Amino acid sequence: MDLRYSDSDEAFRKELREWLAEAVPAHGSPPDAADWAGRRAYDTGWQRKLYDAGYAGINWPKEYGGRDASLTEQLVYYEESARARAPYIGVNFVGILHGGPTLISEGTDVQKERHIGPILRGEQVWCQGFSEPGAGSDLAALKTRAERDGDHYVLNGHKIWTSFAQVADYCELLVRTDPDARKHRGISWLGIPMGLEGMEIRPLPTLTGEGEFSEVFLENVRVPVDCLVGAENDGWRVTNVTLAFERGTAFATDMVVFQEVMRELAAVAKRVTRNGAAAWEDRSLRAEVGHLAAEVEAVWAMVKYTVSEADRTGVPSVSASGVKLYFTELKQRIGETCMRVLGRATLSREDVDGLPCQSFVYEALQSLSMTIAAGSSQIQRNIISERILGLPREPR
Amino acid sequence: MDFQLSEDQQALKEGVRTFCDGRISADQLRELEKEAFDRDLWGELAEMGVFGLRLPESEGGVGLGSADAVVVFEELGRCLAPGPLVWSHLLAGRVEGAASGECVVGGLDLLGRGEDPVLVEHLAHIDALVVLREEGVYKVAPGSLEGAPIETPLDPFTPVHHVASLPEGECIADAAEAAQLRVEGAALASALMLGIAEQTQEMATEYAKGREQFNRPIGSFQAIKHILADMFVRQELARAAVYAAGATLDDPEVGSVRRAVSTAKLVAGEAAMKNSRSCVQVHGGMGYTWEMPVHYYLKRTWVLENVFGGVEEHALQVAEEIGERG
Ligand SMILES: Cc1cc2nc3c(=O)[nH]c(=O)nc-3n(C[C@H](O)[C@H](O)[C@H](O)COP(=O)(O)OP(=O)(O)OC[C@H]3O[C@@H](n4cnc5c(N)ncnc54)[C@H](O)[C@@H]3O)c2cc1C
């Protein structure tokens, strides 16, 4: 049982830290949340810099241009990126975290040629068209149809909650290719270009006021058959490959960032006053903040534990569901405490008197999505109770 | 970094588990309810190296570290091994006979406690009492205490005396050592609570698979499944925190020892408390009976929560650290 990073991990940390110290300030501050063209340029520009410096695709195989870092180097990468407040992965999320890895695992040589390099260099942005109005947690209930017509598929259907659809070049699209087969059969995984004729994107503002996700309507959209990834009607298996990547690493940076956020919260609590004294003088508030900070620390220890387990066994730990479940709910509790410390300043989403209203309120609101997206908390509890504890399964 | 049990630790854990299964099973524990202590068992624990675990081999110990100790104490917590385990372990090497089990060492932690009544655990069973004070570590002869036994202690396996006057005793170590012992004690107590969190989760899961209502196992109801899933996650969070505390005590360069230990005591304390409460709930009316051992876990958790700092104290400790740097 050893928490010490190896010398080579520490050497990697040093080199990365030095690079970030120059690269992050040089990249400037992020554009306005509503400026999607600006955001795409900012996020993909950062991706390109990561690529040039050899840090893109930290967990991707070397032969596909990735870093192929060990799992512990990946932890170092998340720790240092968070510490340096490096730009978030942003619009590169789908391509880098699960689209690209799915193509590496399941794609043809032609598909790999077409997508892998461009995704890694920030030249190709992907979105994820899985969910539909009638198929959320029960994803396999999806109805969007793909009918074969010569060497094309003709697509008809309605996708929803498609993040970054408005700036994406390609989409991981789940479609039904065999309507007569049972629910989990008859599904196929396509990688299709965006902006085709018959495709309509309608932004759907989120409760934070951002246009992060959209509805995507497909009416007789024709795509070449070579968009198919994996075999026809074998899409559910491919989907599980995608979901495993999606659920694996998505929150790591966030957890480290939250160790910093707890310090910032303490600093804010020292500045704001309640009943004539600093809020931090209030013992029960300090206990609450310390309690949350201890939980953040414990979750990070749990990440290290699951990473070490995966390092040994070669398969991701089943406890990753537990990390996601605990952390996302913890983040909501932290958000609430942050807003309570701000007091009436929380009525403003812009910084007031130098208080970080903008970030505290945004994070608190945004945290509400985390217990829904990528498998809701209830679904995670189902997974843990069935796959780990062996309890009877829910209807499927 | 390899933050998993090593092969040796795995073997150590299994060894202790096998011993506990054979020697401190639920039935055997019930037998002990009246005496609340078993000197023979104590000797066997000593022989297994529980008390001298971290003592160098040159001093008759096993020469292992804190990471190994938390693994052993996790198993002892799981079976609710009775007696002042943590104290005898902490004082091995400082009090003659503690490591060999010949001298049963009990303790009293007066650091961080306010005006609470002075309740001493296992007074009738111990040969030496050690008191942690601001000024240092003091050794007191148990016979010199004036007090009365409490007729109905909360935990049937933790008898307590209400002590009216506590002699000062002999100073055996300084203030810094008192503070250090308390930190180590908190780590070991958190390991015991990790064991409680695991055992109650497993008992509840087992029961939920077997007990049927409405013609199906209660474990098929989502309301029950989700309680159990939360119990599992709390247990795993506690495991990571407790092991991290052990590893950090062994190698203080990897992080702040105080912070790691406070995190462990807090997180494991909550896991044990919530899991043992949930365990009662999942067992329904059976869980509320004396006959089912479920209540033992909840009661022991309260004993452990009230030594080496409780949830609030450790939360404040962590707050102080982040506040300093904030
Ligand atoms: C910010 C954000 C971004 C997203 N981005 C994308 C994207 O890019 N691409 C994409 O395809 N999708 C995306 N999603 C969609 C996301 O995957 C779905 O919202 C999610 O799968 C839940 O589906 P739903 O919204 O239909 O809710 P529902 O499935 O209708 O769930 C509603 C409630 O019922 C509960 N529930 C459902 N089934 C069960 C059950 N079996 N047991 C117990 N409780 C249950 C859920 O936990 C939830 O609380 C995004 C969602 C969010 C919030």
Side-chain angles (χ1 to χ4, degrees):
Chain A
M1 202 168 2
D2 177 14
L3 278 171
R4 187 176 275 266
Y5 286 102
S6 68
D7 289 347
S8 72
D9 288 344
E10 290 298 350
F12 173 67
R13 182 193 300 283
K14 184 161 174 286
E15 163 207 312
L16 175 62
R17 187 178 291 183
E18 279 165 12
W19 181 76
L20 287 167
E22 281 195 12
V24 173
H27 199 58
S29 46
D32 192 75
D35 173 11
W36 278 99
R39 279 174 74 172
R40 179 180 160 129
Y42 183 82
D43 295 350
T44 55
W46 178 248
Q47 181 62 32
R48 176 73 207 200
K49 288 179 181 167
L50 286 173
Y51 178 83
D52 289 338
Y55 298 116
I58 191 78
N59 61 341
W60 288 27
K62 274 228 165 65
E63 54 171 314
Y64 295 102
R67 175 97 191 181
D68 203 11
S70 69
L71 287 166
T72 50
E73 281 174 346
Q74 292 177 43
L75 287 183
V76 169
Y77 174 81
Y78 295 127
E79 286 178 351
E80 292 305 314
S81 302
R83 168 202 285 262
R85 302 273 166 139
Y88 281 115
I89 193 163
V91 304
N92 307 298
F93 189 100
V94 173
I96 292 291
L97 293 186
H98 49 89
T102 303
L103 288 164
I104 288 174
S105 156
E106 303 293 331
T108 61
D109 288 345
V110 176
Q111 288 167 338
K112 289 177 187 169
E113 183 67 26
R114 191 157 60 204
H115 302 299
I116 298 298
I119 289 176
L120 209 55
R121 294 190 294 270
E123 292 157 9
Q124 203 178 84
V125 171
W126 279 64
C127 64
Q128 180 187 36
F130 280 15
S131 306
E132 297 179 7
S137 300
D138 184 10
L139 182 57
L142 63 95
K143 289 206 179 70
T144 293
R145 277 285 276 134
E147 281 170 288
R148 190 77 179 251
D149 178 18
D151 54 4
H152 280 73
Y153 285 118
V154 182
L155 311 177
N156 280 286
H158 177 185
K159 294 289 173 180
I160 194 166
W161 326 124
T162 318
S163 304
F164 314 120
Q166 65 275 53
V167 291
D169 308 303
Y170 282 86
C171 176
E172 321 174 314
L173 191 78
L174 289 189
V175 292
R176 192 160 292 284
T177 31
D178 181 355
D180 301 323
R182 278 191 293 136
K183 192 163 143 187
H184 295 82
R185 313 276 164 81
I187 292 173
S188 297
W189 200 109
L190 309 180
I192 67 161
M194 295 296 283
L196 298 175
E197 207 180 305
M199 198 182 265
E200 190 198 341
I201 298 171
R202 264 185 234 159
L204 198 55
T206 69
L207 61 68
T208 69
E210 282 180 300
E212 183 191 316
F213 49 40
S214 302
E215 290 182 272
V216 178
F217 295 89
L218 304 162
E219 203 184 324
N220 294 322
V221 175
R222 293 179 69 83
V223 296
V225 170
D226 74 355
C227 291
L228 178 67
V229 177
E232 194 174 273
N233 297 328
D234 192 29
W236 188 249
R237 189 188 58 77
V238 183
T239 301
N240 281 311
V241 173
T242 312
L243 294 179
F245 284 119
E246 178 176 13
R247 289 170 188 179
T249 44
F251 302 105
T253 322
D254 227 21
M255 284 175 215
V256 193
V257 167
F258 262 73
Q259 302 184 331
E260 295 297 322
V261 170
M262 297 314 296
R263 286 195 196 101
E264 195 181 346
L265 175 58
V268 171
K270 285 180 178 176
R271 282 187 45 211
V272 301
T273 50
R274 295 276 187 281
N275 304 319
W280 193 243
E281 297 298 312
D282 174 1
R283 181 184 165 89
S284 67
L285 176 70
R286 285 203 314 280
E288 183 177 328
V289 173
H291 196 293
L292 294 168
E295 289 176 89
V296 172
E297 169 125 347
V299 175
W300 189 237
M302 194 168 165
V303 170
K304 289 179 173 170
Y305 192 77
T306 53
V307 159
S308 290
E309 188 185 341
D311 226 355
R312 277 201 192 176
T313 61
V315 286
S317 162
V318 273
S319 298
S321 270
V323 171
K324 196 238 175 205
L325 176 59
Y326 201 91
F327 178 67
T328 55
E329 297 191 345
L330 172 60
K331 195 173 159 181
Q332 293 181 354
R333 287 188 279 128
I334 293 172
E336 243 174 67
T337 301
C338 285
M339 288 179 74
R340 232 181 268 117
V341 167
L342 285 180
R344 281 186 62 77
T346 206
L347 300 188
S348 165
R349 292 187 57 181
E350 293 145 33
D351 293 359
V352 179
D353 292 347
L355 296 170
C357 305
Q358 192 273 331
S359 66
F360 275 19
V361 177
Y362 175 79
E363 291 293 340
L365 294 176
Q366 191 272 342
S367 72
L368 296 174
S369 74
M370 297 179 73
T371 51
I372 300 168
S376 74
S377 291
Q378 287 68 38
I379 296 300
Q380 302 299 341
R381 289 189 174 90
N382 289 347
I383 290 174
I384 291 165
S385 58
E386 293 171 14
R387 294 194 205 156
I388 302 179
L389 302 180
L391 291 157
R393 286 165 63 118
E394 295 295 305
R396 240 135 266 228
Chain B
M1 172 162 46
D2 181 23
F3 190 37
Q4 290 274 306
L5 299 187
S6 67
E7 265 176 40
D8 287 348
Q9 285 164 340
Q10 192 65 44
L12 180 66
K13 192 168 200 273
E14 276 159 26
V16 180
R17 169 84 63 98
T18 307
F19 173 84
C20 293
D21 285 348
R23 195 64 178 78
I24 323 176
S25 68
D27 288 338
Q28 287 162 321
L29 191 67
R30 209 174 273 119
E31 297 283 299
L32 279 180
E33 222 186 73
K34 209 150 166 271
E35 284 301 316
F37 190 70
D38 177 347
R39 195 125 200 165
D40 293 338
L41 174 61
W42 198 259
E44 290 167 47
L45 290 169
E47 210 166 294
M48 206 164 51
V50 166
F51 307 123
L53 199 73
R54 290 185 304 155
L55 209 57
E57 283 175 273
S58 57
E59 294 173 38
V62 189
L64 293 178
S66 297
D68 309 294
V70 293
V71 171
V72 169
F73 275 73
E74 173 189 349
E75 290 304 320
L76 296 171
R78 199 183 239 287
C79 67
L80 294 177
L85 299 161
V86 173
W87 290 105
S88 286
H89 173 104
L90 285 177
L91 275 304
R94 284 197 183 82
V95 173
E96 178 86 31
S100 66
E102 284 151 79
C103 178
V104 179
V105 184
L108 185 62
D109 165 24
L110 293 181
L111 283 163
R113 303 301 298 170
E115 308 283 286
D116 286 356
V118 177
L119 295 180
V120 177
E121 300 164 23
H122 290 288
L123 187 58
H125 305 132
I126 56 180
D127 306 308
L129 177 72
V130 157
V131 183
L132 300 186
R133 294 198 177 94
E134 294 290 347
E135 307 80 35
V137 184
Y138 292 77
K139 196 172 127 191
V140 180
S144 67
L145 265 62
E146 280 169 38
I150 296 285
E151 289 301 323
T152 49
L154 169 65
D155 174 13
F157 303 100
T158 311
V160 284
H161 273 68
H162 186 191
V163 170
S165 90
L166 182 67
E168 176 162 321
E170 171 203 353
C171 183
I172 58 169
D174 64 10
E177 275 193 72
Q180 177 64 18
L181 283 185
R182 193 162 186 264
V183 168
E184 292 173 17
L188 296 170
S190 71
L192 292 171
M193 294 203 278
L194 164 62
I196 290 176
E198 284 175 87
Q199 182 63 20
T200 45
Q201 180 274 115
E202 285 172 23
M203 285 165 68
T205 300
E206 222 31 60
Y207 189 78
K209 286 178 183 170
R211 167 76 177 166
E212 293 196 359
Q213 285 291 277
F214 303 97
N215 295 320
R216 40 183 186 136
I218 57 167
S220 63
F221 300 120
Q222 210 175 64
I224 297 292
K225 283 167 75 171
H226 288 192
I227 290 175
L228 297 170
D230 284 335
M231 290 171 81
F232 175 80
V233 176
R234 275 186 221 116
Q235 155 204 316
E236 290 306 301
L237 189 75
R239 178 191 316 288
V242 169
Y243 289 1
T248 309
L249 273 165
D250 286 340
D251 184 4
E253 278 178 27
V254 299
S256 150
V257 170
R258 288 221 128 184
R259 183 159 169 178
V261 171
S262 283
T263 294
K265 185 71 168 46
L266 185 156
V267 168
E270 284 210 332
M273 194 66 80
K274 290 183 178 168
N275 281 14
S276 45
R277 198 194 316 128
S278 296
C279 190
V280 172
Q281 180 66 20
V282 169
H283 280 78
M286 277 309 288
Y288 192 67
T289 64
W290 191 278
E291 181 192 336
M292 278 303 264
V294 178
H295 63 114
Y296 292 159
Y297 292 89
L298 185 63
K299 291 168 178 173
R300 184 67 61 83
T301 300
W302 277 110
V303 172
L304 296 168
E305 174 62 19
N306 279 291
V307 66
F308 307 122
V311 164
E312 197 198 25
E313 185 193 317
H314 287 290
L316 288 168
Q317 172 70 37
V318 174
E320 195 177 307
E321 258 196 47
I322 61 169
E324 268 168 22
R325 294 177 52 192

